């Protein structure tokens, strides 16, 4: 029996067990993927004893993605550049870690818009947390020309811009007009927009006409941010697909088979979020 899990605090809302459970069943693998609540003060001990716990690895979610980098034995280049990890796997009794958030983000866009290319594109990202760093890293790797990074607290965006010299420009959320007029892709990577009350306000009328709009939040499936973008005529890519695609490399690392994200899986998870989801 191969065992893996997702750790976080809180953890009860994680949909990762449904995703990996679906694939385990599909491949007929004798495996298990659980949900484990790990408090911040327990993180070091938990990650330090993964092999002893009989785990092939784990996913890491909030609030552990950044501190976890300090508690694994081998951090890959992605993890080092983004300072954030979401996937740990055990090899020869040692812990290895990477971040698959950037890959999940990019693959979700390409899944929904197969003719989209990041090459030469300008992206405008709202929000400068750990997720933004992973997205920037992967978009640049896929050939994006420039990333404009706007944050409520500009210092945080400036700090990230220094990690990618010449490729990322930090902005204030209050001065978006010029950035909106030249962005090919607009991303909400803030945690705002989950509830209507905290909705992030963007002057969509200024956004380049053919810009694609996406959101890393997926509850509700079409966030208020995406609803507004769609109302302004933009092609929108909901964020749930990012969650599904970021899970692919982890499953392969632990269980040895590379799964495929398809509409059946999307519908399964979408209905768990919104029972009225009709496809
Ligand atoms: P993660 O690591 O998942 O990216 P995070 O580090 O908590 O999450 O980052 C959340 C981001 O959402 C931050 O950029 C935050 O802005 P600040 O750096 O100014 O705190 C942004 N954010 C949260 N609520 C917001 C709101 N109501 N309006 C604008 N930005 C908001």
């Amino acid at each position: 029996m191969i065992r893996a899990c997702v750790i976080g605090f809180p953890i009860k809302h994680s949909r990762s067990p449904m995703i990996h459970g679906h694939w385990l069943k599909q491949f007929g693998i004798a495996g298990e993927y659980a949900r484990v609540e790990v408090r911040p003060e327990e993180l070091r001990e938990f990650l330090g004893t993964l092999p002893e716990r009989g785990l092939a690895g784990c996913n890491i979610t909030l609030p552990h993605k950044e501190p976890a980098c300090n508690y694994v034995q081998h951090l890959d280049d992605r993890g080092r550049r983004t300072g954030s990890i979401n996937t740990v796997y055990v090899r020869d009794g040692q812990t290895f870690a990477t971040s698959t958030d950037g890959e999940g983000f990019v693959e979700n866009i390409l899944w929904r818009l197969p003719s989209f290319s990041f090459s030469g594109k300008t992206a405008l990202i709202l929000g400068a947390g750990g997720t933004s760093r992973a997205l920037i890293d992967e978009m640049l790797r896929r050939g994006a020309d420039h990333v404009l990074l706007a944050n409520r607290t500009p210092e945080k965006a400036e700090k990230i811009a220094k990690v990618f010299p010449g490729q990322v420009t930090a902005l204030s959320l209050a001065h978006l007009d010029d950035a909106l007029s030249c962005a090919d892709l607009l991303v909400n990577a803030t945690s705002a927009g989950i509830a209507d009350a905290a909705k992030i306000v963007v002057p969509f009328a200024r956004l380049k006409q053919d810009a694609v709009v996406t959101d890393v939040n997926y509850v509700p499936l079409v966030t208020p941010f995406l609803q507004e973008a769609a109302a302004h005529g933009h092609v929108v890519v909901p964020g749930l697909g990012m969650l599904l695609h970021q899970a692919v490399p982890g499953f392969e690392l632990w269980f040895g088979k590379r799964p495929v994200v398809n509409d059946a899986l999307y519908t399964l998870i979408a209905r768990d979020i919104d029972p009225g989801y009709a496809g």
Side-chain angles (χ1 to χ4, degrees):
M1 165 79 89
I2 305 170
R3 293 172 55 227
C5 65
V6 56
I7 63 168
F9 184 72
I11 195 63
K12 63 174 182 291
H13 298 300
S14 171
R15 265 101 189 175
S16 292
M18 275 185 92
I19 299 170
H20 290 283
H22 173 84
W23 287 331
L24 284 170
K25 207 164 123 197
Q26 194 177 67
F27 284 111
I29 295 172
E32 178 191 282
Y33 184 101
R35 205 185 257 124
V36 181
E37 182 180 279
V38 174
R39 290 169 182 270
E41 62 273 21
E42 298 165 340
L43 183 64
R44 178 198 289 263
E45 200 272 332
F46 190 91
L47 290 176
T49 55
L50 272 190
E52 290 83 346
R53 290 169 188 269
L55 287 162
C58 65
N59 276 131
I60 297 182
T61 188
L62 300 178
H64 302 320
K65 288 187 181 188
E66 290 169 29
C69 294
N70 301 313
Y71 306 139
V72 292
Q73 287 160 299
H74 305 275
L75 191 61
D76 77 349
D77 286 346
R78 268 201 183 96
R80 216 168 289 132
R81 282 196 307 266
T82 60
S84 154
I85 53 174
N86 70 345
T87 305
V88 181
Y89 55 102
V90 176
R91 291 285 183 273
D92 299 325
Q94 306 242 315
T95 50
F96 292 76
T98 189
S99 170
T100 68
D101 281 335
E103 197 176 333
F105 172 83
V106 163
E107 291 300 332
N108 181 36
I109 304 233
L110 299 177
W111 182 47
R112 292 308 192 192
L113 305 172
S115 62
F116 188 89
S117 163
F118 285 87
S119 181
K121 294 284 165 46
T122 295
L124 169 57
I125 302 184
L126 312 179
T131 307
S132 303
R133 262 170 90 142
L135 306 192
I136 293 169
D137 188 61
E138 191 63 20
M139 280 196 266
L140 292 174
R141 237 180 51 83
R142 305 270 183 139
D145 181 58
H146 206 85
V147 177
L148 304 164
L149 183 61
N151 199 43
R152 183 175 58 182
T153 313
E155 297 76 35
K156 276 206 225 166
E158 282 155 20
K159 200 170 155 203
I160 295 180
K162 287 205 181 92
V163 180
F164 305 95
Q167 294 178 292
V168 176
T169 304
L171 310 167
S172 148
L173 262 188
H175 301 99
L176 287 182
D177 284 7
D178 289 349
L180 287 165
S181 65
C182 67
D184 302 296
L185 177 68
L186 171 64
V187 186
N188 179 27
T190 72
S191 42
I194 298 169
D196 277 42
K199 198 175 92 168
I200 188 154
V201 178
V202 171
F204 277 103
R206 303 271 180 185
L207 183 58
K208 194 168 156 183
Q209 202 64 55
D210 59 354
V212 170
V213 181
T214 187
D215 196 324
V216 303
N217 301 293
Y218 52 84
V219 181
L221 293 166
V222 181
T223 60
F225 180 80
L226 292 183
Q227 279 171 26
E228 208 178 330
H232 280 82
H234 292 280
V235 170
V236 302
V237 178
L240 177 60
M242 175 179 166
L243 176 75
L244 308 181
H245 282 278
Q246 64 77 37
V248 170
F251 188 93
E252 187 177 17
L253 286 164
W254 307 315
F255 301 115
K257 298 265 189 213
R258 189 161 182 91
V260 171
V261 173
N262 57 21
D263 289 336
L265 176 64
Y266 190 93
T267 301
L268 178 77
I269 310 299
R271 290 214 172 121
D272 187 58
I273 294 167
D274 173 4
Y277 177 74

